[in-house]
Amino acid sequence: MKLHEIIEILKAEVLTGDRESQMEILSACGSDLMSDVMAYVKDNVLLLTGLINPQVIRTAEVMDIKVVAFVRGKIPDSNILELAREKDITVIRTEYPMFIACGKLYKAGITGRGADC
Amino acid sequence: MSENLINLYYVINANDFSAAGEASGNVKKKLVQLGIDPAIIKKTAISMYEAEMNAFIHANGGEINVEISNNRIVIVISDKGPGIADLDLAMKEGYSTASDKVREMGFGAGMGLPNIKRYSDELDIQTEVGKGTTVRIIVYIN
C-alpha cells in the first residue's frame, strides 16, 4: 500500500515528509515499547506508536523505518520533528487510538508478514 | 589478524535523553558509507542501540569504542553503573529491573539484552555488582 493511501485511511496530518508520497508500505508495527519494535525485523515498515519522545525516531532510524504514525492525537514537539527531518523520516499523526488505527490499516490490507509485533 | 580500518569513540551522556542512541545512528551512517550489507548494518545498529540505551538507563551513561575492520565490527560499551546481579535472569526475555520512569520512555520491556543476543554474532558481558558492566558485541561482515 502506498503511504498516501495510509495517510487517507488514518485521516492523518503530515508533520514531516510528503503527503503525496508513493512510498510502498508492506507491514506495520504498533507498539509503545521500543525494544518490542526492535525484536522484529521487516522491510518497508510503518511504526504506529503512542509514545512521544526522540527515542521513537532513533528506533525508527536503527530499524530503517521510514514512517512513524503518532496515534491518539498526540503532538510531538519540534525537537522530535527536527530529528525526524534530519533522519529523513516521515512523521504523521492521527486522532484514532492505537487499536482503531491498526484495525483500519489491517482491514485495508496491511496485515504484516511473518511474526507480528 | 584483520586490518583495523576505523576506530570510533563516543561518550554516553547520562543527562541527555534525546541524544541517547545518537552514537548508534552515527555508526550506522558510517557503515552505510562503507557499503556494508544492509542486513549486517541493521544487526549492528540494533545491538549497539540497545546496549547504548542500557548504559544510559541503568548506569548513568558510559563510553563506547567501535572498531570496524575488514571482516567484523566490534563494539565495546563500558559503564561504571551498578552491575548486573543475575546475568542469566537479565538475559531472559521480559525480565527487567527498569523503573516506571524508564518504561514511560518506551524501554525496560526486558528485551534489551535478549535483542542484543539475537542480533549479534558474539556477545560477551563482564559485570560486577557495584563496579560496572562491559558489553562486547561482535558482528561479522562476511
Side-chain angles (χ1 to χ4, degrees), chain B residues 82-90 95 97 127-130 133:
Chain B
I84 304 167
D86 188 335
L87 194 52
D88 286 340
L89 200 53
Y95 177 80
T97 57
T127 186
E128 197 178 337
V129 172
T133 301

Side-chain angles (χ1 to χ4, degrees), chain B residues 65-116:
Chain B
N65 280 287
V66 180
E67 182 192 286
I68 306 166
S69 57
N70 288 327
N71 62 348
R72 65 183 197 174
I73 304 150
V74 182
I75 300 156
V76 180
I77 300 190
S78 324
D79 68 59
K80 293 184 170 58
I84 304 167
D86 188 335
L87 194 52
D88 286 340
L89 200 53
M91 292 306 298
K92 285 195 176 141
E93 287 193 4
Y95 177 80
S96 175
T97 57
S99 64
D100 286 347
K101 191 174 165 231
V102 167
R103 292 207 172 86
E104 281 165 20
M105 294 176 193
F107 293 87
M111 294 300 288
L113 287 175
N115 276 347
I116 298 171

Side-chain angles (χ1 to χ4, degrees), chain A residues 32-36 38-43 51 53-56 58-59 61-64 83 87, chain B residues 17-22 25 28 42 45-46 49-50 53 104-107 109 111-112 115 118-119:
Chain A
D32 289 354
L33 285 169
M34 296 301 106
S35 282
D36 279 349
M38 279 185 281
Y40 298 98
V41 174
K42 295 177 194 170
D43 294 320
L51 182 73
N53 71 39
Q55 297 308 325
V56 173
R58 302 242 181 245
T59 301
E61 182 194 16
V62 163
M63 297 299 291
D64 287 327
L83 190 62
K87 309 292 181 193
Chain B
F17 177 63
S18 72
E22 195 172 6
K28 185 180 182 224
K42 203 181 271 189
I46 295 170
Y49 179 60
E50 289 281 19
M53 289 311 293
E104 281 165 20
M105 294 176 193
F107 293 87
M111 294 300 288
N115 276 347
R118 180 179 287 127
Y119 294 117

Side-chain angles (χ1 to χ4, degrees), chain A residues 62, chain B residues 24 28 40-50:
Chain A
V62 163
Chain B
S24 302
K28 185 180 182 224
I40 289 169
I41 293 176
K42 203 181 271 189
K43 280 171 63 172
T44 308
I46 295 170
S47 305
M48 180 172 168
Y49 179 60
E50 289 281 19

Side-chain angles (χ1 to χ4, degrees), chain B residues 5-44:
Chain B
L5 296 178
I6 295 167
N7 285 286
L8 303 165
Y9 173 77
Y10 302 94
V11 172
I12 305 167
N13 183 346
N15 300 314
D16 193 349
F17 177 63
S18 72
E22 195 172 6
S24 302
N26 284 344
V27 168
K28 185 180 182 224
K29 198 184 287 175
K30 179 63 81 181
L31 295 174
V32 171
Q33 284 167 2
L34 290 171
I36 310 278
D37 179 337
I40 289 169
I41 293 176
K42 203 181 271 189
K43 280 171 63 172
T44 308

